[in-house]
Amino acid sequence: MPESAPSSPVTASPEAASPPAASIPSLSRAEVRELLFDLPWPELQALAHQCRLRHKGRHVHVRGLLEFSNVCRRNCRYCGLRHENRRLPRYSLSAAELLRAASQAVAAGVDTLVLQSGEMARNPLWLAQVVRGLKERFGLPVTLSVGEQPREWYALWREAGADRFLLKHETADARLYAALHPGYRLADRLRALSWLAELGYEVGSGFMVGVPGQRPESLVDDILLVRDMRVAMCGAGPFVPQADTPLGRQPRGSTELCLRVMAVLRLALPWANLPATTALASLRPEDGQRQGLAAGGNVLMPSFTPAARRAAYRIYDHKAVVDMDAVRRAIAGAGLEHALPEA
């Protein structure tokens, strides 16, 4: 069972507003398990598709991903950015480099700028200044994904104008979490999610599918946890090994199971934004993101990280480069719509 979830919903968003408690789907643990593992896929996919159309429409949000640093102080056993990976060339973009990349993303028509890095130990004032500059220049929502930080840092960035924060809980199994993240606890992750909600961020979480040590019941716990937290966004992607990590020789996660997880997330969190992840595109280059959209997803995140740095943001191996052409193909293939300018 997961550790206690935050008592208040972790969202503050007009785009994916948290529903009143009475309107949250009352799926039981047994029902979630049956949907996830027993219902034939065509039936589950159809339910998720109809739920997405009913609650989110046909529009797909396109977020511009800016991976501004691969420096990380943690040693997560599955991630290529882990501090002890001496084979990874490290980089951190300057504010000017980040602004240029953001300009390209805005020109391409994205609706949000997503600033992502390893768990940074950088001066928080630097990031606050970057966020303030982006908001003043472009006026778009800014999402941060920079890991667990002191509450006062979250407050500083929120005051600077950051709108959203993505902090994946990774697994609702406390023992597995501790094994995957040496020196860290799931309880601290959940506390950070509560802080973000209290500060008024639109909060996203998420988890891996098929990470070594994961039990089937853990996935049920993951779905129930994010539902009970009422997150505004939830990303579920298949585990993809990275060769320079302790789990580098483990088998990859199942894309089929990941799609089932996405479909059940759509049914359990009809209000939430669900990305079709880059990990899906990496394991199924021909149709992974299209299938993710067909399973209930409504967000894509093309990369605008400078080309010279993309390969060094090696959280896992064989990471797909999702560009705007790939985004348009996935949306068109799923029969959905976007607000992007004509190519």
Side-chain angles (χ1 to χ4, degrees):
M1 291 291 291
E3 298 188 23
S4 297
S7 58
S8 60
V10 287
T11 177
S13 164
E15 183 182 285
S18 176
S23 68
I24 296 176
S26 57
L27 293 171
S28 68
R29 165 177 287 278
E31 289 170 328
V32 169
R33 199 183 197 291
E34 181 180 4
L35 287 168
L36 187 56
F37 297 115
D38 298 331
L39 189 67
W41 171 239
E43 295 178 40
L44 179 58
Q45 184 182 43
L47 287 173
H49 178 66
Q50 290 304 314
C51 183
R52 190 265 316 286
L53 293 180
R54 186 164 60 252
H55 292 276
K56 306 299 286 185
R58 290 188 172 275
H59 180 71
V60 176
H61 298 287
V62 181
R63 322 296 204 197
L65 180 61
L66 306 165
E67 297 152 327
F68 67 89
S69 176
N70 68 353
V71 177
C72 190
R73 64 189 173 204
R74 292 176 68 138
N75 269 312
C76 303
R77 291 173 56 80
Y78 52 84
C79 181
L81 305 193
R82 64 196 315 265
H83 180 72
E84 291 182 359
N85 183 4
R86 307 302 183 197
R87 301 184 64 181
L88 183 69
R90 302 291 175 168
Y91 75 90
S92 293
L93 299 184
S94 67
E97 289 174 315
L98 189 46
L99 180 60
R100 284 196 295 272
S103 297
Q104 294 172 357
V106 173
V110 304
D111 56 44
T112 300
L113 296 170
V114 181
L115 276 56
Q116 187 175 82
S117 71
E119 190 162 287
M120 56 175 283
R122 202 168 186 170
N123 185 340
L125 291 173
W126 179 87
L127 186 55
Q129 291 169 348
V130 167
V131 169
R132 190 173 290 112
L134 293 174
K135 294 292 289 187
E136 290 174 354
R137 178 158 180 176
F138 302 117
L140 290 180
V142 172
T143 299
L144 298 180
S145 180
V146 295
E148 284 181 46
Q149 304 294 348
R151 192 182 194 279
E152 55 267 30
W153 291 20
Y154 292 152
L156 175 69
W157 300 329
R158 179 69 179 133
E159 185 178 353
D163 303 274
R164 304 168 182 157
F165 204 104
L166 172 60
L167 183 66
K168 293 185 176 183
H169 70 269
E170 303 295 7
T171 176
D173 182 329
R175 282 181 289 188
L176 180 57
Y177 185 95
L180 294 173
H181 308 91
Y184 292 87
R185 302 184 309 153
L186 177 61
D188 296 327
R189 197 71 154 190
L190 299 181
R191 181 181 61 181
L193 286 162
S194 289
W195 287 344
L196 292 163
E198 292 164 4
L199 291 166
Y201 284 95
E202 175 185 333
V203 181
S205 191
F207 52 95
M208 292 175 286
V209 177
V211 67
Q214 185 177 66
R215 298 171 296 110
E217 285 299 319
S218 296
L219 288 173
V220 177
D221 288 336
D222 284 317
I223 294 168
L224 294 174
L225 176 61
V226 293
R227 183 200 57 186
D228 293 345
M229 290 193 297
R230 289 182 253 172
V231 296
M233 191 275 279
C234 183
F239 166 73
V240 186
Q242 203 287 312
D244 300 318
T245 69
L247 300 184
R249 295 180 178 274
Q250 297 298 313
R252 67 189 194 182
S254 163
T255 56
E256 290 77 13
L257 179 56
C258 183
L259 292 171
R260 294 188 68 91
V261 167
M262 286 189 66
V264 180
L265 282 170
R266 174 52 67 207
L267 297 174
L269 290 74
W271 65 87
N273 291 320
L274 306 180
T277 65
T278 302
L280 270 176
S282 300
L283 294 187
R284 293 179 63 157
E286 70 287 351
D287 69 348
Q289 292 198 306
R290 177 177 64 81
Q291 291 291 345
L293 294 175
N298 70 317
V299 175
L300 293 175
M301 295 174 61
S303 174
F304 289 88
T305 303
R309 301 297 192 183
R310 286 176 190 163
Y313 203 82
R314 197 179 309 141
I315 53 177
Y316 50 78
D317 288 335
H318 311 298
K319 184 181 175 189
V321 176
V322 178
D323 59 19
M324 296 302 289
D325 289 338
V327 163
R328 287 184 171 88
R329 287 195 300 271
I331 295 173
L336 300 174
E337 301 169 356
H338 58 76
L340 298 171
E342 292 187 11

